Amino acid sequence: FKLKESMKILGKFIFTSLMILGVTGTIILSYVIFYVIGFYGDSIHYDMRAAKLHLTSMIYINDENNDPKEYDRVYKGENRIWVEFNDIPQYMKDAIIAIEDKRFMEHHGVDWVRTSGAFFSLMSSKNSYGGSTLTQQLIKNLTENNEVSIIRKAKEIFRALNFEKEYSKDEILGAYLNVVSFGSGQRGVESAANLYFGKKIKDCSLIECAAIAGITQNPVAYTPLLNPQKNKERRELVLYEMFSQGKISDQEYKSALDESSKMQFKSLDENNEVV
């Protein structure tokens, strides 16, 4: 009899506890849902013309033939040179998509498969999973908000969805390639090509584009001026992703790998200045 009474009391306790947890969970979930829905119309406006104003200034002088020649560059903190989308080689566009966001052309600003993994990683305090699309990365660069939180991620998701309603894939990719960091104080692929290879981005080869694309994930770790071996490993990973995703042929892949083993970058002097 005592055992039966004890079981009945225990059952009531468990039932009451579950009800309390259920009601509390419902209230919290409803609050979160309504809070997140509040971000639905959140968006940012990106003025392409204004972005082109925050650039490096070039100083030219006339040479012995009276032709203008670049003499010096003036910039504060970061070197930024805007390049038109049509002047960026397809290799560069394919390389950044292959390594950073392979479903870029299919999604509408958010890759839900990667986002689910990112949320799981964040909830379990493992912040290493990269779930951001190129659109989300661009927004993070434009807003300069690097906070690691679910709230920021939720805002970023709605902003990305709204951003892709306003801008085309080419506009987003072009802006991304012009504003993100490519290490060593370089913003955009044009300034990166100038620094690392002494040429314009339109003249860069497949493996040179791969080397530049590989830097964005960690500009400090993968800058070739400081970590040439890490850049080599990274650019060859970019190259493999391009090949496995069908963006380059087998012959292009093999030729680029051969070029990678012989690649030379500008060097640094004893004061860590580019020479």
Side-chain angles (χ1 to χ4, degrees):
F1 178 76
K2 289 183 178 179
L3 179 61
K4 190 174 182 180
E5 282 293 317
S6 298
M7 292 300 292
K8 186 182 291 186
I9 293 172
L10 179 61
K12 287 182 178 179
F13 174 76
I14 293 174
F15 177 76
T16 302
S17 299
L18 290 175
M19 286 296 292
I20 293 173
L21 288 174
V23 171
T24 304
T26 301
I27 292 173
I28 293 174
L29 181 61
S30 298
Y31 174 79
V32 171
I33 290 174
F34 280 110
Y35 187 74
V36 170
I37 288 176
F39 300 147
Y40 180 76
D42 196 11
S43 62
I44 63 170
H45 179 70
Y46 179 59
D47 189 338
M48 197 80 73
R49 290 170 299 178
K52 295 180 182 180
L53 296 178
H54 301 290
L55 304 176
T56 297
S57 297
M58 279 81 160
I59 300 174
Y60 290 88
I61 61 173
N62 290 336
D63 60 17
E64 60 274 9
N65 298 318
N66 208 33
D67 294 321
K69 181 180 180 181
E70 184 178 325
Y71 173 73
D72 200 2
R73 294 183 178 186
V74 179
Y75 57 91
K76 184 178 181 180
E78 295 175 321
N79 187 18
R80 301 169 181 243
I81 306 173
W82 189 275
V83 60
E84 296 300 330
F85 187 72
N86 290 336
D87 290 330
I88 301 174
Q90 192 61 43
Y91 283 146
M92 187 68 247
K93 299 168 187 174
D94 288 342
I96 207 71
I97 290 174
I99 196 62
E100 291 292 330
D101 186 5
K102 65 181 180 181
R103 286 183 285 273
F104 174 69
M105 300 307 295
E106 286 75 50
H107 65 63
H108 300 288
V110 178
D111 186 333
W112 293 109
V113 175
R114 297 179 66 196
T115 297
S116 299
F119 270 113
F120 176 78
S121 182
L122 188 61
M123 291 295 290
S124 59
S125 299
K126 298 175 182 178
N127 300 323
S128 60
Y129 189 95
S132 296
T133 61
L134 291 180
T135 310
Q136 290 171 279
Q137 290 180 47
L138 174 60
I139 289 171
K140 185 164 65 175
N141 274 271
L142 295 176
T143 59
E144 297 184 345
N145 186 350
N146 294 313
E147 177 190 359
V148 179
S149 70
I150 293 178
I151 299 302
R152 183 196 66 80
K153 199 69 178 177
K155 285 184 177 182
E156 189 181 272
I157 285 172
F158 284 107
R159 284 176 172 178
L161 293 171
N162 291 325
F163 202 74
E164 291 223 359
K165 293 176 183 177
E166 187 173 356
Y167 299 99
S168 69
K169 290 289 187 181
D170 284 358
E171 288 175 317
I172 293 169
L173 181 57
Y176 178 93
L177 291 170
N178 272 293
V179 304
V180 300
S181 173
F182 287 95
S184 302
Q186 308 306 301
R187 286 275 179 173
V189 294
E190 182 72 359
S191 60
N194 287 180
L195 176 65
Y196 301 133
F197 304 111
K199 60 174 71 172
K200 295 180 181 295
I201 187 63
K202 67 179 181 180
D203 299 321
C204 285
S205 67
L206 167 57
I207 195 61
E208 289 171 340
C209 288
I212 293 172
I215 298 171
T216 57
Q217 186 187 66
N218 190 330
V220 175
Y222 295 126
T223 174
L225 299 188
L226 299 178
N227 300 303
Q229 182 57 37
K230 285 188 177 180
N231 183 272
K232 181 178 185 297
E233 295 168 2
R234 183 70 177 169
R235 67 179 178 260
E236 290 180 1
L237 174 61
V238 174
L239 197 65
Y240 173 77
E241 288 296 328
M242 294 177 74
F243 174 65
S244 64
Q245 294 172 36
K247 298 181 184 298
I248 57 174
S249 67
D250 181 66
Q251 182 57 49
E252 287 176 307
Y253 177 60
K254 291 177 180 177
S255 296
L257 274 180
D258 182 61
E259 185 182 344
S260 177
S261 64
K262 308 167 186 173
M263 181 173 284
Q264 296 291 321
F265 298 96
K266 289 188 175 181
S267 59
L268 298 175
D269 61 19
E270 62 273 10
N271 297 315
N272 280 336
E273 295 181 349
V274 179
V275 295

